[in-house]
Amino acid sequence: MALRWRNSFSCNIQEIDNQHKKLFEISSKLNILAPICSKIDFEDEIKEVLNELKEYAIYHFDYEEKLLQKFSYKDFEEHHQAHTVFLDQVLKFERDNQKLNKPEIVTNIISFLTGWITAHILKTDMKYKDFFKDLGIH
Ligand SMILES: [Fe+2]
Ligand SMILES: [Fe+2]
């Protein structure tokens, strides 16, 4: 299932919303490749997209964490920990070095990525929405 942006994903901070949209955009590339990867060898392309997603997630987490730290957000540590767990899992996918030529393997990876990203935005990122709103940051 491809991720579709909805207003309920908005954290009320333009730059962060844009970065979240970009994460959606990168993951949707995997959705296109997954069903056809057994017919045509798209392994290199899938690895490339996974790498792009990892690099962009690192950039986004860093941006978000710097903002949280700048304003002494009280649940910073917990938030940082959640980002670390995600990156560890993505690195594990890379280390496992699975043959990405079966739709079910790629689909499993996609469901972890999209499931984690949506749940994280809706539960964890959403917790700072009012915090920044009260500070007048948008
Ligand atoms: Fe986050
Ligand atoms: Fe985020």
Side-chain angles (χ1 to χ4, degrees), residues 57-70:
I58 291 172
Y59 166 76
H60 166 64
F61 294 161
D62 188 57
Y63 183 93
E64 205 173 71
E65 289 180 15
K66 282 199 172 106
L67 195 66
L68 295 175
Q69 271 184 314
K70 189 175 170 189

Side-chain angles (χ1 to χ4, degrees), residues 16 20 60 64 83 120-121 125 128:
I16 289 191
H20 287 157
H60 166 64
E64 205 173 71
H83 290 163
H120 182 77
I121 295 174
D125 286 349
Y128 62 60

Side-chain angles (χ1 to χ4, degrees), residues 2-81:
L3 288 179
R4 203 164 42 84
W5 181 263
R6 294 177 195 86
N7 278 341
S8 56
F9 286 108
S10 175
C11 299
N12 212 33
I13 299 173
Q14 186 83 58
E15 176 58 27
I16 289 191
D17 282 353
N18 288 342
Q19 291 179 10
H20 287 157
K21 282 177 189 168
K22 177 86 181 166
L23 284 172
F24 280 27
E25 204 184 295
I26 301 171
S27 6
S28 69
K29 293 186 197 173
L30 288 171
N31 281 85
I32 297 167
L33 294 171
I36 45 175
C37 67
S38 58
K39 297 182 186 76
I40 306 161
D41 180 8
F42 280 128
E43 200 162 356
D44 289 346
E45 285 83 351
I46 293 168
K47 282 189 173 150
E48 226 170 87
V49 180
L50 283 173
N51 192 52
E52 190 187 353
L53 189 72
K54 181 188 73 182
E55 294 295 322
Y56 198 77
I58 291 172
Y59 166 76
H60 166 64
F61 294 161
D62 188 57
Y63 183 93
E64 205 173 71
E65 289 180 15
K66 282 199 172 106
L67 195 66
L68 295 175
Q69 271 184 314
K70 189 175 170 189
F71 293 95
S72 310
Y73 181 67
K74 68 170 171 47
D75 293 328
F76 172 80
E77 262 318 311
E78 197 185 318
H79 202 127
H80 168 71
Q81 206 40 50

